[in-house]
Amino acid sequence: MSSYKRIVFLICLCLMALLCVSCASVKKHEYVPLDYTREDVRNNEINQISALLKKEPIEALWRSYLLKDSSPADATGVAELFIQCQEKVYSLCENYVQEEKYLDALQCAMSLESVGFTIPADAGFSRAFLETSLLENVPGKDKNTTEQGSVSSYISGTVTIWVDLGIQVQKGLGYASRSIGSGFFIDEKGYIVTNYHVIQSEVDPKYEGYSRLYIKLSSNPEVRIPARVVGWDPLLDLALLKTEVDAPYVFSLGSSSDLDVGDKIYAIGSPLGLEWTMTSGIVSAANRQLLSMGPVMQIDAAINSGNSGGPIIDNDGSVQAVVFAGIMGQDGLNFAIPVEYLKAELPILAAGGLRNHSWIGAMGRDVTKNEFTDSPQGLLTEYVMPGSSAFRAGLKVGDIVTAINGQPVTGVDSFHFALLRFVPGTIAELTVYSQESSEEKNILVYLEKRPEQPGYEIYQRDVISNSFYPIFGMKLTPISESDKKYSVADIKRGSIADETGFSQFDPVDVMKVQISDNKDSISAQIYTKKRKSGYFEVNLVIAAPLDSPYFF
């Protein structure tokens, strides 16, 4: 081979290597909204929707609505496909009604109403009928009719949860293993509320050991009564159990909005196996962000291992919260789930099985009414994940969500609370104020199943320069063809990046990104010259959880 050919060959190799490196540097391609005015794009979407109709008819209905809404009026086949999707979902709704699966039927009916379909008058059912039928047999929906006011009656309505985990072998010796928690009756037919983590071994598919669930009554503590798990929610740490005994006492579900900081409360449970212990304290704080779906109550009543799942009651004996966490070694620092979450969840927990939550693939924060710009109070969208339901529906950064299905939204927490009444796979209508056009609009979103770790989904779907903002609170702008060199475009106040001392225009080299084995946290090795540190060169590692209350 001549010297000239060798040089050309080496140049080609270098160019190919460079191309490979540049391609590898881009984690995911940038998504762009589909242009349904183009016939090829439209035809491709029609084919995808037709295939989707067989396995996910409600999602197909939503996508056919978006297609119809964005296509030219004379587009071939679009209107026919939309009608076909409506008929399929309506037929599915009829079948669910006949099978008395009212939760599934209501999901279909709500989705049909969202796209403008009216259930025929002669259908034999309506949305109101489905809602009434769903709630008819939900435990805990009625107020307690048994006599109240006695401490002994409150204790009799509380149970010890006993999970037999068989024999655990340590250093060649076998030990009886068990998990102990608390619970309380909410229905005279034997329905009990507790924490998910107390009964996790009963329903977790990853658990491969022995597990048997029992309860103990205060009237006969030596007898273990078999129980079963009806529904469970890992995210809110709630579970609904059923046992074949008549409840000796049924608690009424109150409203924790009646409580204020400093109000007296009581906890009943089995701390460290000391069954039916009552402790007292006050509400220490009302809005602690420990759960992804909303704030919890902080209390100072004595709580220990075994109290989990027990009731927090007020002076009238009404349940105001469910104990779920305490911090070991920290006296008086304990937490409980507000009863509103339980009341919203009960129809879905009673339907049985794993409770999945919904999201639309975005991140935001609360915003108050601005009299200068006429923008309303609501949920300000700060990030939209590429390819998500929010992205497809046309939700944009800067849009303010003010309502979902007509229910007002005042911020992230109220949006999450509204979502508790939905199951994934439902079409919902968002009322949105566009700050760009200063106009209000309605958009339809498909409520997708919320990932266990939304931040991991964001990191997988988006490029680093975009995904760092919802995860670390640091918006980056690439300053080179490599994806390693950036400039900080914006810092989210109160975020990890803000607390670490980053500022706008700081140069950043992202050297390495690492995801934890269980995909619940992320760390990034960064080289930077921070303005707040006098532009001294520094290598540091920042870390963040891959879940956040601000994802919605």
Side-chain angles (χ1 to χ4, degrees):
M1 185 182 290
S2 66
S3 299
Y4 174 78
K5 288 183 178 180
R6 282 199 189 95
I7 293 171
V8 172
F9 179 73
L10 288 172
I11 291 174
C12 290
L13 278 178
C14 291
L15 287 173
M16 288 176 67
L18 232 106
L19 182 61
C20 291
V21 169
S22 65
C23 289
S25 69
V26 181
K27 182 164 41 106
K28 293 286 180 182
H29 64 79
E30 296 274 8
Y31 285 76
V32 293
L34 294 174
D35 182 5
Y36 292 128
T37 61
R38 288 180 47 185
E39 186 177 1
D40 58 333
V41 174
R42 194 166 61 246
N43 289 337
N44 182 60
E45 182 69 357
I46 288 174
N47 292 334
Q48 290 192 27
I49 293 172
S50 298
L52 192 62
L53 186 57
K54 299 175 183 177
K55 53 181 181 179
E56 297 291 346
I58 296 180
E59 184 178 356
L61 174 63
W62 171 66
R63 286 176 58 169
S64 68
Y65 173 86
L66 297 181
L67 178 63
K68 178 185 73 69
D69 197 47
S70 305
S71 298
D74 58 348
T76 305
V78 173
E80 292 82 356
L81 179 62
F82 179 58
I83 293 172
Q84 183 183 355
C85 291
Q86 286 179 310
E87 291 174 347
K88 175 68 174 179
V89 175
Y90 177 67
S91 175
L92 198 62
C93 188
E94 288 182 309
N95 292 337
Y96 285 141
V97 172
Q98 292 175 4
E99 297 170 5
E100 297 186 352
K101 296 180 178 179
Y102 296 118
L103 181 62
D104 295 323
L106 184 60
Q107 177 188 13
C108 292
M110 292 172 66
S111 299
L112 287 167
E113 285 186 8
S114 295
V115 300
F117 180 89
T118 302
I119 296 175
D122 60 351
F125 65 90
S126 63
R127 176 173 171 177
F129 167 81
L130 296 176
E131 290 175 339
T132 302
S133 300
L134 176 63
L135 296 175
E136 189 172 343
N137 296 313
V138 172
K141 66 180 178 62
D142 298 320
K143 286 286 185 181
N144 183 9
T145 56
T146 56
E147 185 179 352
Q148 298 186 19
S150 165
V151 172
S152 61
S153 64
Y154 300 153
I155 290 177
S156 69
T158 310
V159 302
T160 298
I161 308 293
W162 181 288
V163 184
D164 184 354
L165 299 175
I167 302 298
Q168 183 179 6
V169 178
Q170 294 181 356
K171 297 181 179 179
L173 298 175
Y175 298 89
S177 179
R178 64 183 182 272
S179 173
I180 296 177
S182 304
F184 56 96
F185 285 105
I186 60 167
D187 188 276
E188 60 185 9
K189 295 178 182 178
Y191 285 97
I192 297 167
V193 170
T194 188
N195 285 146
Y196 162 75
H197 76 260
V198 173
I199 54 85
Q200 182 175 355
S201 61
E202 286 286 295
V203 294
D204 187 353
K206 297 178 183 178
Y207 180 77
E208 298 178 348
Y210 178 88
S211 179
R212 292 293 183 272
L213 174 63
Y214 304 93
I215 66 159
K216 289 183 177 183
L217 301 176
S218 62
S219 59
N220 197 352
E222 296 180 357
V223 176
R224 289 186 291 176
I225 302 169
R228 63 183 175 87
V229 183
V230 177
W232 61 97
D233 182 352
L235 195 61
L236 282 181
D237 200 14
L238 291 171
L240 181 65
L241 314 182
K242 177 74 168 67
T243 186
E244 300 307 317
V245 298
D246 294 331
Y249 179 83
V250 176
F251 282 96
S252 292
L253 302 182
S255 172
S256 54
S257 60
D258 297 337
L259 293 180
D260 202 354
V261 174
D263 285 350
K264 190 86 170 179
I265 50 92
Y266 305 86
I268 308 175
S270 303
L272 303 176
L274 300 174
E275 297 163 336
W276 303 290
T277 298
M278 175 178 279
T279 57
S280 66
I282 62 169
V283 177
S284 303
N287 295 292
R288 296 300 189 208
Q289 292 288 355
L290 294 186
L291 296 177
S292 302
M293 297 303 292
V296 298
M297 183 188 299
Q298 182 183 331
I299 58 176
D300 76 340
I303 300 294
N304 291 282
S305 176
N307 271 109
S308 295
I312 297 295
I313 61 175
D314 60 15
N315 286 321
D316 297 326
S318 295
V319 175
Q320 301 290 6
V322 182
V323 175
F324 87 102
I327 298 180
M328 297 294 291
Q330 301 295 324
D331 294 335
L333 193 56
N334 305 300
F335 304 94
I337 305 163
V339 73
E340 278 80 11
Y341 295 160
L342 173 62
K343 290 160 71 174
E345 289 262 282
L346 274 175
I348 300 173
L349 291 176
L354 171 64
R355 191 319 189 212
N356 291 309
H357 286 269
S358 303
W359 85 319
I360 61 173
M363 184 269 289
R365 62 177 174 85
D366 299 359
V367 65
T368 56
K369 181 177 175 60
N370 190 321
E371 296 179 358
F372 297 101
T373 63
D374 292 328
S375 61
Q377 180 182 8
L379 171 53
L380 175 66
T381 306
E382 295 184 296
Y383 170 83
V384 177
M385 184 177 74
S388 66
S389 169
F391 180 89
R392 283 179 172 270
L395 188 68
K396 300 182 184 302
V397 172
D399 286 349
I400 301 173
V401 180
T402 59
I404 176 170
N405 275 19
Q407 182 177 343
V409 169
T410 57
V412 181
D413 291 340
S414 70
F415 187 83
H416 282 158
F417 187 76
L419 285 184
L420 291 181
R421 303 185 184 276
F422 294 89
V423 293
T426 307
I427 301 173
E429 182 181 68
L430 299 186
T431 304
V432 174
Y433 177 83
S434 170
Q435 296 192 88
E436 185 179 355
S437 63
S438 301
E439 294 178 348
E440 188 176 84
K441 59 183 178 180
N442 292 321
I443 63 174
L444 293 191
V445 293
Y446 178 75
L447 302 180
E448 300 178 290
K449 177 183 172 183
R450 191 182 195 272
E452 288 188 21
Q453 304 295 339
Y456 179 73
E457 189 80 7
I458 289 171
Y459 177 74
Q460 288 292 102
R461 287 216 201 176
D462 212 339
V463 294
I464 283 179
S465 56
N466 295 332
S467 63
F468 264 42
Y469 188 65
I471 294 173
F472 294 109
M474 180 193 304
K475 189 176 293 184
L476 303 177
T477 300
I479 57 175
S480 72
E481 294 181 359
S482 167
D483 67 343
K484 290 185 177 182
K485 294 185 177 295
Y486 304 93
S487 173
V488 176
D490 191 21
I491 294 292
K492 181 176 171 65
R493 186 178 299 176
S495 66
I496 290 169
D498 184 28
E499 293 174 354
T500 310
F502 283 96
S503 306
Q504 191 177 16
F505 306 124
D506 283 351
V508 168
D509 290 7
V510 180
M511 309 304 295
K512 183 180 180 181
V513 176
Q514 189 168 353
I515 305 291
S516 63
D517 291 339
N518 55 0
K519 299 181 176 61
D520 66 347
S521 63
I522 183 174
S523 61
Q525 182 181 341
I526 290 175
Y527 166 80
T528 184
K529 298 178 182 179
K530 292 191 291 186
R531 176 172 58 84
K532 291 181 180 178
S533 301
Y535 293 105
F536 284 110
E537 298 180 4
V538 61
N539 277 298
L540 55 86
V541 174
I542 57 174
L546 286 171
D547 198 0
S548 165
Y550 301 105
F551 296 142
F552 67 90

